[in-house]
Amino acid sequence: MTPRVRIAPSPTGNLHIGTARTALFNFLFARKEGGVFIVRIEDTDKERNKPEYEKNIIDGFNWLGIKYDEFYRQSERIDSHKKWLKKLIDENKAYLSKEEEGGNRDEVIRFRNPNRDISFEDTVRGQVSFNTEELGDFVIARSMDEPLYHFAVVVDDFEMNINHVIRGEDHISNTPRQILIQEAIGAPRPKYSHIPLILAKDRSKMSKRHGAVSINEFKDRGFLPEAMVNYLALLGWHPDDDREIFSMKELVEVFDLSRIQKGGAIFDENKLLWVNKEHIKRMPEEERKKIIIEKIIQSEKSKDREWGSGEDLAGKIEPLISERISKWSEVDELMASGDLDYFFEKPVYGASVLNYKGEQEKSDIIRHLNTVGAILQEQDEKELSAEKVKGFIWSYAEKEGRGAVLWPFRVALSGKDKSPDPFVLAQILGKKETSERIKEAVRKIDAETGRK
Ligand code: GLU
């Protein structure tokens, strides 16, 4: 039997990570088994539905690469719901009931509950049994034109030949009601897989107060869709080995419904960041470079830079940034943090930072800086790669003490007690800027009073 599965989101909010994860599991299962994946927008709650939420949900699926084979809107299926409601009433399996509510008399349609015990097999949770007596004759429609969720979902699943329902565990207690309705309309029972909820670190249900919960928020914060898909797949599922990084294609190959876990899946933002970093590393290099360089060029720092071409400089510092970030927005954060300002403007610092461990003689610092400056002065501009700079200076540094030579050299270039090594800095700044900064450092030390 070809699996036919669906995600049935209500457009009452932006695409939630829980819905995205459920959609992904349905999609992976359908692709793996050669089945059909359907999106059905459950838009019967007229008060809470909004077209922009439907758009947000569909945009989210597209961004993630969750492609559907068929698309429906529940609101466009009202004639079917009506037909089945009428049939149930005709067969005395449902009835109109007058209700008094807040002084208003209203007519609703209630299901005649046969009050049976209902058991069903859930592929995740095993045998599940419910006593349906306490449900009473539950309401299935507010009027002939207003079917409620339980009724519409059963009619739609039946008419769309859905044979496997994969959905969040919060729906497990809805299942007996839906099975009673299925039996009343003569629909076959689908298979069920109720997947564990996504929980926050404190094991409470993931909600806005824990931070981002909508897919578009993760997109805006600079996560890659490939990483989101990868991480969502690991929320409640894992493969039979310890692999953790997958492309969508690889997930389709290894996904197996029987490996869905029972316990809640804890959302761990640090893990997501790690997964994202791994996907950034796996991107084609040119693509990654392009994105980061563009962000550097767009930054205020780059626009206000004191020399050179913004593009050229961005290309040079891209590798430094690339190894430090886990998501794109961190490029902007790094640029705004001030940590890399010395690439764009002269560093501002006090002379004492130049002194290695605060133990150097003024004359030694000056001697080392002058020597390094003189060595570099002899080199051809085009030759200034980090390895070459290191090659030129290394034997001198070994002789005089690495810290004693390289510390002031590095601080002269960055003005900071922490920064990349001086060889990389010299390569990026180029010969002219490097030698100017060394001279400036010498001036600073010279001007320092009260020391030898
Ligand atoms: N519209 C329901 C929801 O958004 C669908 C539940 C189901 O999959 O049956 O939760």
Side-chain angles (χ1 to χ4, degrees):
M1 192 166 48
T2 308
R4 288 182 59 86
V5 296
R6 73 344 182 239
I7 182 77
S10 306
T12 54
N14 289 333
L15 179 59
H16 188 278
I17 49 166
T19 310
R21 196 264 322 241
T22 304
L24 178 65
F25 282 15
N26 275 279
F27 172 82
L28 293 174
F29 175 68
R31 286 294 173 273
K32 172 83 185 279
E33 306 296 328
V36 175
F37 170 61
I38 294 170
V39 171
R40 182 175 70 226
I41 300 290
E42 304 215 315
D43 55 350
T44 45
D45 185 342
K46 293 193 185 76
E47 274 137 47
R48 292 171 59 219
N49 288 329
K50 286 207 177 113
E52 58 262 40
Y53 291 141
E54 178 183 309
K55 182 173 183 310
N56 180 281
I57 291 166
I58 298 302
D59 287 350
F61 289 155
N62 287 337
W63 182 67
L64 292 168
I66 300 176
K67 298 196 181 82
Y68 46 83
D69 305 303
E70 296 174 24
F71 178 85
Y72 303 93
R73 261 184 217 103
Q74 200 155 56
S75 59
E76 291 162 5
R77 299 188 23 80
I78 278 299
D79 290 344
S80 273
H81 304 143
K82 250 183 170 154
K83 179 187 83 186
W84 285 105
L85 265 181
K86 202 170 162 313
K87 192 160 186 296
L88 284 190
I89 294 170
D90 290 348
E91 290 172 3
N92 199 26
K93 291 175 179 164
Y95 59 91
L96 288 166
S97 135
K98 293 216 187 302
E99 316 270 317
E100 194 114 21
E101 208 189 301
N104 292 332
R105 277 177 75 81
D106 243 341
E107 219 169 36
V108 297
I109 296 150
R110 285 186 178 273
F111 182 73
R112 211 177 282 290
N113 187 344
N115 298 322
R116 289 200 297 102
D117 284 351
I118 292 289
S119 284
F120 64 94
E121 198 52 37
D122 187 281
T123 73
V124 180
R125 314 202 60 89
Q127 173 98 355
V128 183
S129 302
F130 278 95
N131 179 303
T132 65
E133 220 165 308
E134 64 201 48
L135 299 175
D137 285 354
F138 52 89
V139 178
I140 53 174
R142 251 188 299 254
S143 72
M144 289 306 277
D145 297 313
E146 285 175 288
L148 292 183
Y149 160 65
H150 291 297
F151 185 73
V153 85
V154 170
V155 168
D156 289 350
D157 282 349
F158 177 38
E159 295 200 335
M160 291 170 195
N161 293 312
I162 300 299
N163 48 27
H164 198 144
V165 170
I166 304 166
R167 61 184 174 187
E169 195 186 70
D170 45 338
H171 286 291
I172 204 156
S173 60
N174 293 331
T175 308
R177 241 183 282 235
Q178 294 172 10
I179 289 176
L180 288 174
I181 300 172
Q182 277 160 18
E183 292 179 352
I185 68 172
R189 186 185 298 185
K191 276 195 185 171
Y192 285 102
S193 304
H194 284 95
I195 61 183
L197 296 183
I198 300 178
L199 304 178
K201 271 229 159 86
D202 60 3
R203 301 200 73 89
S204 65
K205 201 177 159 184
M206 183 92 173
S207 72
K208 280 210 177 76
R209 85 192 149 82
H210 297 107
V213 285
S214 317
I215 290 298
N216 61 293
E217 291 174 84
F218 289 97
K219 180 182 177 198
D220 294 345
R221 286 164 60 201
F223 287 99
L224 290 172
E226 293 83 357
M228 285 309 293
V229 161
N230 188 156
Y231 184 65
L232 289 176
L234 299 176
L235 285 175
W237 173 87
H238 60 93
D240 60 3
D241 53 23
D242 48 18
R243 268 173 78 194
E244 295 194 284
I245 299 301
F246 298 93
S247 67
M248 183 73 100
K249 194 163 159 273
E250 290 163 337
L251 283 172
V252 169
E253 279 158 23
V254 295
F255 189 74
D256 181 352
L257 264 190
S258 71
R259 300 194 59 83
I260 290 180
Q261 71 192 42
K262 272 203 197 72
I266 310 277
F267 186 87
D268 177 353
E269 176 119 10
N270 288 329
K271 180 83 182 271
L272 169 61
L273 276 170
W274 174 77
V275 170
N276 203 65
K277 194 176 175 87
E278 292 301 308
H279 279 270
I280 288 181
K281 283 192 211 155
R282 279 164 178 72
M283 273 177 87
E285 194 181 327
E286 283 315 305
E287 213 177 298
R288 179 179 62 228
K289 276 204 158 96
K290 209 170 145 235
I291 293 174
I292 297 178
I293 288 175
E294 185 58 27
K295 281 187 163 292
I296 300 171
I297 294 174
Q298 291 309 320
S299 70
E300 290 304 315
K301 276 292 153 215
S302 176
K303 287 179 187 155
D304 299 340
R305 73 186 177 282
E306 291 176 354
W307 57 80
S309 132
E311 204 157 327
D312 180 53
L313 183 56
K316 286 182 179 154
I317 65 175
E318 180 276 333
L320 288 180
I321 293 190
S322 178
E323 68 184 26
R324 282 172 69 173
I325 58 157
S326 300
K327 58 182 163 74
W328 300 137
S329 54
E330 290 175 9
V331 179
D332 310 322
E333 288 163 21
L334 252 175
M335 292 305 298
S337 70
D339 272 12
L340 303 173
D341 282 3
Y342 48 80
F343 287 123
F344 302 91
E345 61 201 25
K346 305 269 180 202
V348 181
Y349 59 99
S352 62
V353 199
L354 289 159
N355 194 323
Y356 180 55
K357 294 188 171 165
E359 292 168 358
Q360 283 180 288
E361 296 297 335
K362 193 169 147 174
S363 55
D364 284 338
I365 304 174
I366 292 176
R367 182 165 56 89
H368 296 325
L369 284 171
N370 281 336
T371 308
V372 168
I375 295 174
L376 292 180
Q377 206 55 51
E378 290 163 19
Q379 315 305 329
D380 182 348
E381 165 86 29
K382 283 185 225 83
E383 300 285 301
L384 222 54
S385 73
E387 295 85 71
K388 293 229 162 127
V389 176
K390 186 171 175 180
F392 301 143
I393 287 160
W394 199 248
S395 62
Y396 177 72
E398 292 267 77
K399 189 165 71 123
E400 298 285 337
R402 280 184 224 166
V405 174
L406 300 181
W407 177 277
F409 177 25
R410 194 179 55 67
V411 174
L413 302 186
S414 69
K416 289 192 188 290
D417 57 5
K418 281 199 190 71
S419 66
D421 69 57
F423 316 119
V424 169
L425 296 179
Q427 172 185 319
I428 294 173
L429 294 169
K431 188 170 154 184
K432 182 164 167 281
E433 185 60 26
T434 298
S435 87
E436 277 176 23
R437 289 189 186 192
I438 290 174
K439 282 187 195 136
E440 176 57 27
V442 171
R443 269 195 294 276
K444 267 193 212 282
I445 293 280
D446 245 345
E448 227 193 358
T449 50
R451 281 177 58 93
K452 276 202 282 175

